[in-house]
Amino acid sequence: MDDWRSTMFIGETEDKTRPIVRGEHLTLGYHRRTVVRDLSFEIRRTDILGIVGPNGCGKTTLLRTILGLMPPLGGRVDRDPTLVISYVPQRDRLDTMLPITAREVVLMGCTARSGVLRRKHASNHETARQALSRVGAESLGSQLFRNLSGGQQQRVLLARALAAEPDVLVLDEPTAGMDIGSEAAILAFLQDLNRTRGVTILIVTHLLSLVLNFATSIMLMGTHECLHGPVDEVLREDRLTELYRVPVHLGRAGGQRVLVVGSRDTRHV
């Protein structure tokens, strides 16, 4: 029997702002296996959407569908045709054996709009330099990408995405393998990018704690259903406990949301 889940919209209110991406009654899957059924959502400009769920729940399939890389099995996805969308993949999905420099990796992102703006080659190099500088990695430009640390590689991939001057930035497990400091720095940078430049951000992760204080809206993908809506509406103990089938407790520490999983006698963050 196919795996399936339905979607519930939580805290929906009328919004006159036109969505830039809309999914309607989507059925998603691959190799004749359905992983998501009857999923509907809207993404608006300047949203920070956290797509969260365990491995195998359909997060990456949804991501590829949003990007237009994979057609849905049913339903439809509508995108603003003027959007420039940049994608930051998981690092372990890249061929790190290629002998290319960090600057050359970033230059790949300059082609996304070059056809429209008809930039010259020299201008592309300046765009790449500026993108590396924005993520604090300008000094890495001449180094081989494969020789960089995991955190440095992630910054270079982020710079590549920024070189396209995107309207929407999509990141798949962007902090995997990072230490706490590097993780906090990446999230702070993304928040600033959203606030100062109005870039819409979609971040896919299996860690709810990662987007707990980062996202403005959340899509929680579980085994039987998907919760989607504003953070304050979705993040309720009863809904999270029902979705994940384990006791989930929410609290605050230092002005930040804190997530605790397990019974009151055996809790762990």
Side-chain angles (χ1 to χ4, degrees), residues 122-165:
S123 178
N124 284 344
H125 279 273
E126 176 59 19
T127 299
R129 185 197 66 78
Q130 291 178 2
L132 282 167
S133 178
R134 287 172 64 186
V135 300
E138 186 175 358
S139 63
L140 304 177
S142 61
Q143 297 186 38
L144 289 178
F145 180 78
R146 67 188 183 190
N147 292 340
L148 301 178
S149 68
Q152 290 172 332
Q153 288 182 352
Q154 192 64 50
R155 286 180 178 272
V156 171
L157 293 177
L158 182 54
R160 181 181 68 172
L162 295 178
E165 300 178 6

Side-chain angles (χ1 to χ4, degrees), residues 58-75:
K59 301 188 303 299
T60 298
T61 302
L62 172 61
L63 195 62
R64 290 173 178 169
T65 303
I66 291 174
L67 292 170
L69 302 176
M70 176 183 292
L73 300 179

Side-chain angles (χ1 to χ4, degrees), residues 18-238:
R18 182 171 56 88
I20 57 176
V21 180
R22 184 201 304 267
E24 296 183 346
H25 304 292
L26 295 176
T27 298
L28 308 177
Y30 50 90
H31 302 314
R32 299 182 180 179
R33 177 174 180 263
T34 299
V35 293
V36 178
R37 191 185 300 276
D38 197 25
L39 173 63
S40 297
F41 62 89
E42 292 182 345
I43 302 172
R44 302 182 185 279
R45 198 171 296 275
T46 74
D47 276 355
I48 301 179
L49 172 63
I51 302 174
V52 186
N55 294 332
C57 72
K59 301 188 303 299
T60 298
T61 302
L62 172 61
L63 195 62
R64 290 173 178 169
T65 303
I66 291 174
L67 292 170
L69 302 176
M70 176 183 292
L73 300 179
R76 59 182 291 172
V77 176
D78 295 318
R79 286 178 294 274
D80 183 331
T82 66
L83 286 179
V84 174
I85 303 177
S86 285
Y87 174 49
V88 182
Q90 296 183 37
R91 293 194 311 276
D92 60 7
R93 296 187 178 182
L94 296 176
D95 185 356
T96 57
M97 295 307 295
L98 292 175
I100 57 177
T101 66
R103 184 179 297 105
E104 289 170 329
V105 171
V106 178
L107 279 168
M108 296 175 187
C110 296
T111 61
R113 272 185 166 165
S114 59
V116 176
L117 300 182
R118 296 180 181 176
R119 290 174 174 157
K120 296 180 180 179
H121 182 69
S123 178
N124 284 344
H125 279 273
E126 176 59 19
T127 299
R129 185 197 66 78
Q130 291 178 2
L132 282 167
S133 178
R134 287 172 64 186
V135 300
E138 186 175 358
S139 63
L140 304 177
S142 61
Q143 297 186 38
L144 289 178
F145 180 78
R146 67 188 183 190
N147 292 340
L148 301 178
S149 68
Q152 290 172 332
Q153 288 182 352
Q154 192 64 50
R155 286 180 178 272
V156 171
L157 293 177
L158 182 54
R160 181 181 68 172
L162 295 178
E165 300 178 6
D167 304 302
V168 181
L169 185 61
V170 181
L171 307 101
D172 192 359
E173 301 285 0
T175 62
M178 285 190 179
D179 58 45
I180 294 176
S182 297
E183 177 181 292
I186 287 290
L187 294 182
F189 175 83
L190 293 174
Q191 281 184 315
D192 183 70
L193 186 69
N194 171 263
R195 182 176 61 253
T196 61
R197 296 179 178 261
V199 176
T200 303
I201 295 175
L202 279 63
I203 182 169
V204 174
T205 178
H206 65 283
L207 296 174
L208 178 57
S209 58
L210 182 68
V211 296
L212 204 59
N213 297 287
F214 173 70
T216 58
S217 60
I218 287 184
M219 186 182 295
L220 295 179
M221 303 181 70
T223 304
H224 300 289
E225 63 185 3
C226 176
L227 304 181
H228 177 222
V231 172
D232 290 337
E233 294 293 334
V234 172
L235 293 182
R236 285 177 30 182
E237 291 185 352
D238 57 340

Side-chain angles (χ1 to χ4, degrees), residues 237 241 244-250 259-269:
E237 291 185 352
T241 296
Y244 285 103
R245 304 285 198 261
V246 293
V248 177
H249 308 279
L250 294 169
L259 177 71
V260 182
V261 179
S263 67
R264 295 188 179 277
D265 296 329
T266 61
R267 295 184 190 181
H268 60 281
V269 177

